[in-house]
Amino acid sequence: MDVLKQLLGRLHPLLVHLPIGFLIFGLLLQFLDRKKKTYTQLIPVAYFWGGLSAIAACITGYLQYLGEGYGFDTIKWHLWSGIATALFSFLMYFKLSGVKNFSFLTKVPIIMLSTIFFILISFTGHQGGNITHGEDYLVEPLPNSVKSALGIETFEAKEINLTEENWEAAQIYEDVIHPILNNKCVSCHNPKKAKGDLLLHTPDAILKGGENGEIINPKNASDSDLFVRMKLPMDDDNHMPPEGKTQPTKEDIKLVGAWIDTGNPFEGSIKNSGLNKELFSSFFSKKDNLDYPDIEITAASQDSIITIEKTGIHVDLISKSSNFLSVSCINKPDFTDADFEILLAIKSNIARLDIGNTKVSDNIFKKIALLPNLTILKLDNTSISGKNIKEIANLKNLKTINLTATNFEREHISKFSDFPSLQNIYLYKSNIKTQEIKTLNKGQISIDYGGYELPTLPTDSIVY
Amino acid sequence: MKDLIDKLIQEKLAREAEAKTRRHFIKNCAQGIGGLALSSIFAGCDPLTTAPKKTQAAFSERDLNPLATLAPPYSSKVKSVIYLHMAGAPSQLEMFDYKPELQKFDGQDCPQSLLEGKKFAFIKGTPKLMGPQAKFKQEGESGNWVSDYMPHFKKVVDEVAFLKAVHTDQFNHGPAQLFMHTGSARLGRPSIGSWATYGLGSANQNLPGFVVLTSGGNTPDAGKSVWGSGFLPSVYQGVQCRSKGDPVLYIKDPDGVTRDLKKSTIDAINKINKQEYLKYADPEILARINQYEMAYRMQIAVPEVMNINNEPENIKQMFGVEPGKESFANNCLLARKLVEDGVRFVQLFDWGWDTHGNVRSGSIDMGLRNKCREIDRPITALLLDLKQRGLLDETLVVWGGEFGRTPMQENRGNKKMAYKGRDHHGDAFTMWMAGGGIKKGACHGKTDDIGFSGIEGKVSVHDVHATILQQLGFDHEEFTYEFQGRNFRLTDVEGEVIKEILA
Amino acid sequence: MLKNITNRYIHLLFIAVGIFLIQSCQTSDPVDFSTQIKPILNNKCITCHGGVKKNGGFSLLFESEAFANTKSGKPAIIPGDASNSEFIKRLHTDDPELRMPYEKPKLSDDEIEVLTRWIDEGAKWGEHWAYSLPEKIEIPKIASEAGFAPNTTTSFLQNNIDNFILARLESEQLTPNEPAEKNIIARRAALDITGLPPSLALLKEFENGNLSYENYIDSLLSKNTYGEKWATWWLDLARYADSKGYEKDQGRSIWKYRDWVIKAFNTNMQYDQFTIEQLAGDLLPDPSIDQLIATAFHRNTMNNDEGGTDDEEYRVATVIDRVNTTFSVWQSTTMECVQCHSHPYDPFTHKDYYNLMAYFNNTRDEDTPSETPVLKFYTPTQQKKVDKVLNWVTKYGNKETLKTYKDFLHFSEPVYKAHFFKEFKNSVYDDHASVVFWDDGNLIMENAYTNKANFVYLKYKSHYNGTKMTIRKDNADGEIVGEFIINKEKYTPVTQFPIKEIDEKTNLYIETQNNSVDKEVNILNLYWVGFIQDIPGKNQPGWKDINTEFVNTLNTTTVTVPILAENPEYMKRTTQVFDRGSFMTKTDTVEPGTPETLNGYNKEWPQNRLGLSKWIVDKKNPLTARTLVNRVWHQIFGRGLVSSIEDIGSQSDAPSHPALLDWLALRFMNENNWSIKALIKEIMLSGTYRQDSKSTPNMYLIDPENELYARGPRIRLGAEAIRDQALAVSGILSNKMYGPGVMPPQPDGVWQTVYNGSKWEESKGEDRYRRGVYTYLKRTSPYPSFLTFDAGSREVCTIRRTVTNTPLQALVTLNDPVFLEAAYQLAKKNEVVGDIKESIAAAYEKATYSKIQTSTLEALYELYDKSLIAFNEDPEGTSQFLHFDEKPTAELSALTIVANAIMNLDEFLTKG
């Protein structure tokens, strides 16, 4: 029995299309037929079958509601309008098939009925759609601009991307405060569900406040609910956002506070807000100090990784959140230029290459040049002299080269200035005696020759 | 909004999945003989293509080598950690936390308001305040304060980020050290090093992943449990490498047994064990084969890395090492060597910082100076040496004790003590971090005028742990281990990453 | 026209009505809470709606909470009406802020469907299987031998256990292995029962059939080595160690308890008795010495002697540990969580914890360095004097006085310890259990009760002569209770001084005067103050001598063991709930009580530890027997029937063979009358246990953890067993039993603990070769090779030793001198002069109990050859290598190398 019930229930999505079909067809005929009445016989039939199938739809619909346990609130409109549609179709049927008993029908102009009917059907249909596909299913594909134009609020997480360069110019509200509120608060304080009658999606709304009045007391964060509620300890009932919801970081809160204290400006840049850099530094994007290029790439094949690791070369994912690899010969000191070939199978995944303490020669650079995404290169404790170093000047992601304890020659240093994004070079214990070139490319590249010393101090020998 | 949530959910799921089943099929089964054994057993050593899908679930690289590396959930620069623990608790007031005001109150009774509801280990009645016994200067571009107890340190002051208002709720050495290293004052929890090695494994297959070095003539008060693995498998506990005797217990071959002989022995053992596997198909046997291989390699690698004699003179001089002795300087140099060789977590304990003023060696104005001198040069050298080798960017160096010391002079037994001393104090003390991902020259947190408690940027021990884990690529809230039906975390239910000191 | 329409119309109605009828008279078997609902709730809901977090004021931990009103004011679950239950609505909605689980993926349709049905069926709350024990279990009938050859079945079906196992195997279409070879099963059983390989004599008897398998098992169970092996397991649970733990980690003399456990196993003490004596032996009527020793179980808690620690804080810590340990050991329940908040998923409340704590909160031990109360073991001569006193007391006194004197002579309690004294003036508590008095020193003892005694007993160390001590009522001006002179003492005596009789609780003021000494100089250390009613029969002749005899015996030093002793009424502590588990913030006062979820508490039982222990071993307790059975099974098969042996509860793994678990539990309590030997025997007689442990890669893939038991157990030996076995097969294992922990050779410098002079003094003679269970265990640095093989440091209760496999282990068995000596002995004893292959084969068989295979022999012979060459080239090395042999030969050296290899074979290190 249960099974049958469920089965019928699940027929609903299928059945509903019958009434829609019939009835629309009916309305269509009516429209075409408004001048020369040739289909008068036909139209009622359409409505009659429409009505029948509508009833079937209603029943199956009801079963589905029971079976899949939708909340009643979710479906009530659809349910009632569905039933209404069913009845209405018979009403139309009776009217058009001119049944005498329902004489009152004759008084109402058919055109009006048809229009109401059309609206009713579309409404019912739409409701159904919402239940199965979700409220914003229809409008989802629309670009946000259009959506907001349509008055449909959108709450995609807004990223805060400040950098050393742009932070002063960035808009204090639009680029920082708004995203914070948007990501942490607006999901509950928005036109759809205005918890505590409070909206936080627009400046006006924020200034308007909620059921307990205004939430900002200008230039006084400690007396502004917007700030205070977030600052309250987690276990305090008044703490916002409620326990279990995504919480703002302490930096977020601090910033909102500071923003209120400067009179919560909605316009203007961070610079003219006068707030100091410290408040924002934690929002600066960390992208530029990653150990790998900031791009998405496909994962390397496990087979090739297995094959490579069989030779004793160590291969690791740099992190589970990226497909870049770190390759190291820590367990393979006998690695030579020839062994490099095997790495080409994963060449675009290699971001970090450690072939320090191996037997590689200067010919290795030709091959290293084949690793487009190489970011960190360790060649320390090898016999490298650097004569082919320019071979890898093409590596646009290369940030660090470690040449500690190599035979690197002074004459090759200048070649580094052709390296697009190089930042650090380590030349401790290389063949370079003088250290006059400390930076290249206007300080973009810094060179560390090491050789630090700690001269003896008199205190070193005083024992108390 | 909806798709945002979905995205978050997807990511979370992926991570949880990974965290739960750390089993992913054997990547490199070709480690020496052990591997060859495997490869011969699983046609071409490629379970993915040959063996049924289930292999992936049934076998993991970790079944064969519990220290096999795993990628961190999030990107991180830090590959290794060097944790310098001054066991006994150094006095922040004579080293980094300069309190000129305290000087003014020197010799005056400590205000009752401060003492109310506080528990001290030894202080009784109303103690007197004691001004800083060291002279301070602002050093480097950062202008952070360093005392004349640490004359060399100023050279690297711009490399480190200070935490001036760390607090702990433990005020006895044992529990406080446990808390500092396992996140709990009670026994039975894994130490940070164990968490790190468990979560990341260790790349170098000839060395332990988690090495502990002690100096000062004693192991820490809380004993070996400060580097224990708690409820994690014991393979993740710290391996104490000793600068006297065998660096690792039983690593030395018996007298009269040559390397070749040991090799033949292990070859024979593994040969027979392989036959054993064909009979019982128990992966434990394969693991054993692997472990004997590694043991053999360790016997060469460990004494090598633990030998500082063949380091160049200038380096020895810079660290101020005394070969053959057990000294903090030696351990600092060893720490660098170990990190250079890919050891994941190096833990240094230096004992003898408990300056109560009851004995000369435990006095603020003498004993403490000597201890400071013993660490000043080595620590400075360690940071510089890591730097010049390009290792500082990928190594996180942490310095601290288990708590701090009181602004009051200790009056044990309610009388004046033989020497100047300070009692245990957990309300506010100084730690610092340097290296990978740390903001150079930063200074977070502030204590009140007499350095009694934090007034700004207070951070807890859990926060410090959260930060260390974050630097290693973990979210401390997601990094859990299930034990007795519950998910345990290093940071228990607290902890917040200290963003202020991150680059 | 109208007519036929209405007809059609009616038709429709019929259909409609029909369908409604259909769905109204639907039938289907009702949802089962504990198997279908509870798992979903635990995995998907309880983290936010459980014992810790009750988001939205909604919790699913207890029935009452689940149906109670939530923050919204309405209950989330409306029994019988799913579609109106917010609980269900929230699973459907699309609003990410409302949709539950919050920020987690939507529940599957099936999950939602079953939850919905559950509520529509009235949301019946059920109990988790772990919290109720069925009365009877049917032994499964084996479905026709279909599937595999009868002979396999018959050889497999040895006793009822096998029916349960086979039933599951059949359902998985698997066939069990053949029985293992005799030599294999003999070794396996011996290692499991005695922790040692069998003696050759016994093995022969069994192999040539003179001894049936059952008799073989019996004779193993009758050996003393059985107790030693199983004690090793119990001592992990009891967190037994020879030191106190924490910073100083001073030694602790508690080995008498270890010996008690060994004896208890060997005499096969019933598990219920075993339980009661350890938890409450001291509360039994007129307890025997052994029953007092048993209570040392809970004195294995750590003791913090670190300077400046608050004794009360660490006393509470031990009490907390006792609650947790009791529940981990007997109930497979993690109570730790409940210390701070109600249990996140098991039905235990925050308050439950403190009710339980109340049982343990009234013992005399108070984290003092002396670890009192410690039970004294008098020498026969001393005992005579003790008896003399006690006879006198029996003669002239009553039962009560007799108990008082027995206790005081056995463990000098009850007394008021120094850390309780208050209002120090010219005196100070020295953080080491004594108060230091200066001249004019004084302090207050708050509401002390003197038992109407005419004497006070003081334990002190006096550094000067002629110190006048005055005891007054209330304060400095109070009535003088006692006044006497204390002189310089070499030791720390317990001395008796006369006082006035008082019959009420009162504050006592104690003061010292010694003008011959400068200010702020330590005149004397006072450790404790005790009052016990006088020895009766005062007016009888000879009373004086008895009294002196009594005081003298108090000052004898003897072997001791820490024990539990209950507070007398006038010293009772009240127990309070700790807010969020912090002992600094105490709230409501609570009485002893047991969790409601479990079995009821019989009014007959006293509200103390004795009652608690009876409650634990009550046959209605659903967890006690299951826990024991499950863990014994784990010891033998390396996997529990519930694989999470630490936890049997809502969050534990489902049992692999639920019925078997319950059947064994019931049988253990009823038919077998709590006999552990019987349980072990039953398991060992099963065909399941006797199977060959062979497997295939494919079989491994089907059942990696062998939870279906289609093959025999195969596990690496435990730390102690590995060493014991090596010593045994090389014939140097000592069979000496009992006594203080021994210190076999270990590398120098392993022991390094602060403020602790104690050294590792290498044992002499046979003590170097004792079984592992007797090895001295210092918590801060346990015997290194045991640590390497996963033995714990026993600071807290260890339920499972996670078996690991590391290079450090290889280094131990390859290089540890102990194993080298064993190898040497193995080689020497099996050397067949002139026939190397014979020698190797002999040594191999001696070690592994199997005939050597040619391939193995070849491999080992090759190794011998290489070694021989090496040693011949280097006679110097030979003598170094065999330094313990008078005239070492290259041959013997080479054989030793081979023996060393044999002792490193997986086959040797594993019980297969």
Side-chain angles (χ1 to χ4, degrees), chain B residues 82 311 315 319 331-341 346 382 385-386 389 391:
Chain B
I82 298 177
E311 282 287 312
I315 292 293
F319 282 85
N331 291 350
C332 281
L333 179 48
L334 286 172
R336 189 220 84 211
K337 287 177 60 124
L338 289 162
V339 164
E340 212 172 15
D341 285 4
V346 184
L382 174 61
D385 201 14
L386 288 171
R389 290 161 198 274
L391 290 169

Side-chain angles (χ1 to χ4, degrees), chain C residues 273 276-277 280-295 375 399 403 406-407 410-411 563-566 610:
Chain C
Q273 187 64 16
I276 292 170
E277 293 195 2
D282 58 317
L283 296 174
L284 290 167
D286 190 13
S288 69
I289 294 294
D290 277 349
Q291 287 169 329
L292 290 177
I293 299 175
T295 64
L375 178 62
K399 279 180 87 47
K403 181 174 187 336
K406 258 195 177 161
D407 291 358
H410 279 139
F411 48 83
I563 57 165
L564 293 180
E566 198 75 348
L610 183 56

Side-chain angles (χ1 to χ4, degrees), chain C residues 86-105:
Chain C
E86 191 67 12
F87 177 73
I88 297 296
K89 292 187 194 166
R90 290 296 197 97
L91 304 176
H92 287 285
T93 165
D94 289 308
D95 180 337
E97 287 305 321
L98 298 178
R99 220 284 315 292
M100 292 294 149
Y102 181 65
E103 290 199 351
K104 291 253 166 30

Side-chain angles (χ1 to χ4, degrees), chain A residues 1-2 4-6 8 48 52 55 59 62-63 65-73 87 90 93-94 97 99 101 130-131 133-135 187-188 193 195 235 237 243-246, chain C residues 1-2 5 8-9 12 15-17 19-20 22-23 25-28 53-55 71 82-84 88-89 92-98 100 102-103 109 112-113 116-117 120 580:
Chain A
M1 282 296 119
D2 232 15
L4 178 55
K5 171 184 146 198
Q6 280 221 349
L8 288 170
F48 179 75
L52 286 193
I55 290 180
I59 294 165
Y62 182 64
L63 291 181
Y65 154 64
L66 292 173
E68 324 251 306
Y70 286 98
F72 185 70
D73 297 345
L87 299 175
F90 284 104
Y93 166 76
F94 291 129
S97 55
V99 181
N101 315 40
N130 285 354
I131 294 172
H133 304 297
E135 295 291 335
S187 58
C188 288
K193 108 172 117 311
K195 292 271 177 86
D235 47 19
D237 281 354
E243 195 176 9
K245 309 279 181 189
T246 339
Chain C
M1 183 70 179
L2 173 61
I5 298 161
R8 294 208 191 91
Y9 202 4
L12 271 177
I15 303 173
V17 172
I19 293 176
F20 277 100
I22 287 168
Q23 75 93 17
C25 65
Q26 47 144 308
T27 59
S28 83
K53 292 199 202 152
K54 294 182 168 53
N55 291 356
K71 267 217 187 100
S83 45
N84 280 316
I88 297 296
K89 292 187 194 166
H92 287 285
T93 165
D94 289 308
D95 180 337
E97 287 305 321
L98 298 178
M100 292 294 149
Y102 181 65
E103 290 199 351
D109 293 354
I112 297 182
E113 194 272 334
T116 313
R117 253 175 62 216
D120 280 335
R580 290 165 195 234

Side-chain angles (χ1 to χ4, degrees), chain C residues 312 315 361-366 408 412-421 445-451 505 528-532 565-575:
Chain C
E312 179 59 7
R315 185 193 70 78
N361 198 22
N362 264 306
T363 53
R364 292 299 309 133
D365 52 293
E366 290 166 341
F408 214 76
S412 339
E413 289 282 1
V415 295
Y416 293 98
K417 304 199 174 76
H419 53 218
F420 280 136
F421 303 163
M445 266 175 73
E446 276 178 345
N447 54 39
Y449 182 60
T450 68
N451 272 309
K505 271 196 169 186
W528 53 254
V529 178
F531 308 92
I532 55 170
E566 198 75 348
N567 277 328
E569 270 314 316
Y570 60 87
M571 282 186 163
K572 280 252 181 292
R573 301 186 189 92
T574 54
T575 306

